[in-house]
């Protein structure tokens, strides 16, 4: 997430924050969640250090695709992704704007996990 150009990661970050809305939790359908998760899988593919979060994103996407939801599994994956996102926001290679957005995304994921 370096530099000022708009990368796929930056667009996905903006789209994801937009999907959740400003400071309130919105309802996302499983299909909308799957689309967001697939976008993140494409955006983060090949990023060094993203393996852990990619595995969680893929696991959540695959779980949602089953249509047989385990609320505790979803909650666990969201909290784990929030933790990794928070850690990423403090990396020196992340620009200031992206760091703030990642912090917001981390909090949003934590808040959203409370609904499961």
């Amino acid at each position: 997430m370096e530099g000022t150009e708009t990368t796929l990661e930056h667009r996905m970050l903006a789209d994801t924050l937009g999907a959740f809305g400003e400071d309130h939790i919105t309802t996302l359908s499983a299909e909308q969640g799957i689309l967001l998760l697939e976008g993140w899988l494409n955006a983060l593919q090949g990023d060094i250090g993203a393996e852990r979060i990619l595995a969680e994103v893929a696991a959540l996407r695959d779980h949602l695709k089953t249509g047989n939801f385990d609320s505790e599994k979803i909650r666990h994956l969201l909290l784990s992704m929030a933790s990794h996102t928070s850690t990423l926001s403090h990396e020196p290679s992340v620009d200031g704007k992206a760091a703030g957005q990642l912090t917001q995304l981390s909090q949003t994921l934590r808040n959203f996990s409370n609904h499961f």
Side-chain angles (χ1 to χ4, degrees), residues 41-74:
L41 288 170
N42 288 327
L44 295 175
Q45 191 172 29
D47 277 9
I48 296 172
E51 298 86 9
R52 203 173 317 170
I53 199 161
L54 278 170
E56 293 165 344
V57 169
L60 182 54
R61 179 209 50 200
D62 294 345
H63 182 70
L64 292 176
K65 282 184 172 183
T66 68
N68 187 17
F69 308 132
D70 176 343
S71 296
E72 190 56 37
K73 181 174 185 168
I74 293 170

Side-chain angles (χ1 to χ4, degrees), residues 73-92:
K73 181 174 185 168
I74 293 170
R75 184 176 183 283
H76 171 75
L77 287 167
L78 288 169
L79 288 173
S80 186
M81 287 189 298
S83 177
H84 292 302
T85 302
S86 179
T87 299
L88 180 61
S89 73
H90 299 293
E91 290 291 322

Side-chain angles (χ1 to χ4, degrees), residues 100-115:
Q101 289 175 316
L102 287 169
T103 298
Q104 182 182 356
L105 178 58
S106 175
Q107 187 59 48
T108 299
L109 290 170
R110 281 188 178 89
N111 291 342
F112 194 61
S113 74
N114 291 328
H115 294 271

